[in-house]
């Protein structure tokens, strides 16, 4: 759940292009919660939806424009809702003392504002504890839950390292525009990338070198204001365990990550799946924590299959699905 940058430049890495249907359109919807202003972005198509709307909660600094490839692959199949929760993108800052329960309330406010009776909910990395809490508190509003890169408890040393990286970046604004010298920028970007990628097994991860270069380039350009938000997010992770102890008993869920994820490990994701009564767990092959970048076509295919109730057996890019939850 260490954070990832808000904007991905599709031209910076080699992946098959996907053209969005011409009839796709978007609407920006302003929201307010506890006096904090934020915005969601609703993407719809003229084609009949094949499942409930999908509300996507991504990494701490992944804003509502941060998933262009997933958007292109899914936008013709269902309404998509991306949101700048408080502390992200264009939204107001979230006070540091506010935790994941507050963010879950703000996320559910989106469904109320849009008038959706039920939504599919995807929580990726930092978004996983927000989605988990939302499903736990209002299960009748969640048709299906997808958690990618989830854990009950983050490695404290890893989270502390991330917080120190972004605190250092926020403190080192040499120029008027907040940029660093090349050496300082490269050092901090390199440290940040090393916290997200499994560098020891990079030869077993699809597009590892390309994703590493892209992340390094994005982190090297990050502003002090964004770095401060990164640091606050990691202090929030240090303050409490990401996922609560309570089980989810009334929502069908898919929990997955890359088979080489060392940020939220396969065993940690498996334990999360075991805490959900109606859950399926699997791993994406040749990927680590950044599976949505390393295997973006497969990531979209897996989500679409689950949200449309297609079988997940015998997929060439995943391990065999495991049914770990047990209904009470």
């Amino acid at each position: 759940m260490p954070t990832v940058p808000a904007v991905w430049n599709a031209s910076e890495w080699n992946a098959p292009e996907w053209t969005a249907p011409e009839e796709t359109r978007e609407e920006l919807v302003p929201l307010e919660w506890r006096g904090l202003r934020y915005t969601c972005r609703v993407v719809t198509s003229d084609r009949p939806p094949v499942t409930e709307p999908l509300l996507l909660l991504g990494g701490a600094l992944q804003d509502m424009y941060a998933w262009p490839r997933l958007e292109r692959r899914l936008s013709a199949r269902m309404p998509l809702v991306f949101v700048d929760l408080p502390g992200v993108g264009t939204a107001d800052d979230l006070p540091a003392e506010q935790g994941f329960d507050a963010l879950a309330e703000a996320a559910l406010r989106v469904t109320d504002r849009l008038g959706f009776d039920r939504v599919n909910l995807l929580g990726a990395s930092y978004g996983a504890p927000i989605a988990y809490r939302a499903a736990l508190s209002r299960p009748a509003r969640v048709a299906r839950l997808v958690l990618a890169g989830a854990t009950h408890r983050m490695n404290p040393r890893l989270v502390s390292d991330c917080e120190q990286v972004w605190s250092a970046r926020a403190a080192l604004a040499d120029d008027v525009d907040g940029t660093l010298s090349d050496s300082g920028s490269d050092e901090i970007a390199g440290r940040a990338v090393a916290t997200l990628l499994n560098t020891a097994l990079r030869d077993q991860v699809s597009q590892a070198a390309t994703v590493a270069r892209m992340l390094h380039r994005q982190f090297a350009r990050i502003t002090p204001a964004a770095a401060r938000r990164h640091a606050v997010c990691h202090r929030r992770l240090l303050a409490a365990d990401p996922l609560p102890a309570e089980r989810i008993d009334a929502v069908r869920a898919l929990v997955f990550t890359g088979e080489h994820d060392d940020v939220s490990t396969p065993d940690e994701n498996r334990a999360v799946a075991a805490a959900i009564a109606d859950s399926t767990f699997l791993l994406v092959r040749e990927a680590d924590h950044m599976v949505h970048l390393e295997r973006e076509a497969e990531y979209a295919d897996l989500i679409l299959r689950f949200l449309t109730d297609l079988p997940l057996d015998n997929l060439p890019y995943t391990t065999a699905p495991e049914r770990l939850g047990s209904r009470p």
Side-chain angles (χ1 to χ4, degrees):
M1 293 168 205
T3 57
V4 292
V7 179
W8 307 111
N9 185 342
S11 66
E12 292 180 347
W13 65 305
N14 298 320
E17 286 293 339
W18 181 268
T19 303
E22 293 183 1
E23 65 270 23
T24 297
R25 56 191 175 275
E26 68 175 46
E27 177 185 6
L28 298 180
V29 180
L31 300 114
E32 186 171 340
W33 172 83
R34 297 189 182 181
L36 298 177
R37 295 167 298 173
Y38 59 115
T39 304
C40 71
R41 175 172 166 261
V42 184
V43 179
T44 56
S45 167
D46 290 334
R47 300 184 186 183
V50 297
T51 185
E52 289 86 352
L54 173 63
L55 172 59
L56 192 148
L57 306 174
L61 286 193
Q62 284 183 302
D63 67 13
M64 58 187 173
Y65 295 97
W67 296 82
R69 291 177 174 271
L70 187 66
E71 179 180 329
R72 292 179 189 125
R73 292 180 179 275
L74 298 185
S75 58
R77 308 299 185 90
M78 68 200 75
L80 301 176
V81 183
F82 305 93
V83 58
D84 281 356
L85 287 175
V88 173
T90 59
D92 290 344
D93 285 333
L94 181 70
E97 64 273 12
Q98 296 281 2
F100 289 110
D101 287 332
L103 288 168
E105 287 183 31
L108 288 168
R109 172 71 182 126
V110 175
T111 64
D112 295 336
R113 174 70 172 81
L114 298 178
F116 293 143
D117 292 331
R118 300 177 82 209
V119 295
N120 294 312
L121 191 55
L122 168 59
S125 191
Y126 186 86
I130 305 171
Y132 191 100
R133 282 170 166 78
L136 184 65
S137 64
R138 295 172 71 179
R141 303 295 296 274
V142 180
R144 300 168 193 81
L145 173 66
V146 181
L147 301 176
T151 176
H152 281 101
R153 186 173 188 269
M154 288 295 299
N155 181 324
R157 185 177 62 81
L158 174 64
V159 180
S160 179
D161 288 348
C162 291
E163 193 276 336
Q164 291 176 30
V165 166
W166 297 119
S167 293
R169 173 61 186 93
L172 291 175
D174 296 335
D175 304 324
V176 174
D177 63 355
T179 59
L180 292 176
S181 65
D182 288 343
S183 59
S185 176
D186 283 344
E187 178 187 356
I188 289 176
R191 289 168 60 193
V193 170
T195 65
L196 286 171
L197 302 181
N198 189 337
T199 55
L201 297 178
R202 63 182 300 171
D203 60 330
Q204 300 179 43
V205 174
S206 177
Q207 303 195 82
T210 304
V211 171
R213 287 195 299 270
M214 180 180 61
L215 288 174
H216 190 283
R217 189 176 297 113
Q218 296 290 339
F219 284 138
R221 295 199 295 255
I222 201 166
T223 66
R228 290 187 193 97
R229 282 183 159 184
H230 272 293
V232 169
C233 291
H234 287 94
R235 291 188 203 110
R236 189 170 292 120
L237 283 169
L238 284 171
D241 293 342
L243 267 62
E246 293 88 348
R247 289 171 50 88
I248 294 177
D249 291 326
V251 179
R252 190 154 64 88
L254 169 66
V255 181
F256 74 96
T257 191
E259 63 178 342
H260 302 305
D261 188 349
D262 60 354
V263 174
S264 59
T265 68
D267 283 345
E268 290 168 343
N269 280 267
R270 184 181 281 107
V272 172
I276 302 173
D278 190 0
S279 66
T280 300
F281 168 76
L282 53 76
L283 298 172
V284 177
R285 301 185 189 279
E286 299 177 17
D288 60 22
H289 192 67
M290 306 304 290
V291 59
H292 67 292
L293 296 178
E294 295 150 351
R295 306 208 66 178
E296 58 92 11
E298 293 83 359
Y299 190 96
D301 181 68
L302 178 62
I303 290 170
L304 181 60
R305 284 176 174 274
F306 179 72
L307 297 187
T308 55
D309 302 322
L310 292 176
L312 304 180
D313 304 283
N314 302 315
L315 297 178
Y317 57 85
T318 73
T319 60
E322 305 173 34
R323 295 299 301 273
L324 295 180
S326 58
R327 287 191 175 278

